[in-house]
Amino acid sequence: MYAIQNIETGEFLFGTDFGYGPGSCQQRTSLEQMLTFDSLRYAKVDFIHRQCGNDYRIVRLKLPEVERVIGFDTPDGYDCDVWEETPDK
């Protein structure tokens, strides 16, 4: 798994605002969310498409570990109005 990272801040790319005109865009970065890619090729194509430049790099990630499975809120699935997990009892 791959991601795009800002070299200076260590934050990961999670989006790009292309509304700054031709050839100019603003990268959105965070330590809490990121775009991930299943192959190096897709990461490279997205890096170029988003015009990341020399202050970004592609990094290879370790696969995440599942901490907890979130069960369904209702018999029909997940309830989008429930925003937080219920505390363990």
Side-chain angles (χ1 to χ4, degrees):
M1 185 176 347
Y2 301 88
I4 299 172
Q5 183 182 43
N6 183 293
I7 295 171
E8 188 175 315
T9 65
E11 294 180 329
F12 295 96
L13 182 78
F14 71 87
T16 303
D17 185 348
F18 292 98
Y20 287 81
S24 178
C25 54
Q26 181 73 34
Q27 307 303 340
R28 302 293 181 222
T29 59
S30 172
L31 291 173
E32 297 176 353
Q33 55 183 324
M34 69 181 81
L35 292 172
T36 57
F37 308 92
D38 62 349
S39 74
L40 180 56
R41 176 175 164 74
Y42 289 139
K44 288 179 176 181
V45 168
D46 211 50
F47 187 97
I48 293 167
H49 170 72
R50 294 175 184 278
Q51 306 169 23
C52 289
N54 293 335
D55 46 347
Y56 287 87
R57 62 184 173 197
I58 296 172
V59 295
R60 186 171 161 189
L61 305 169
K62 291 182 180 179
L63 290 178
E65 180 181 329
V66 175
E67 178 182 342
R68 181 181 204 185
V69 175
I70 308 300
F72 293 127
D73 300 316
T74 69
D76 296 328
Y78 292 110
D79 180 356
C80 294
D81 293 326
V82 178
W83 288 39
E84 299 293 329
E85 290 184 60
T86 55
D88 290 333
K89 296 180 181 179

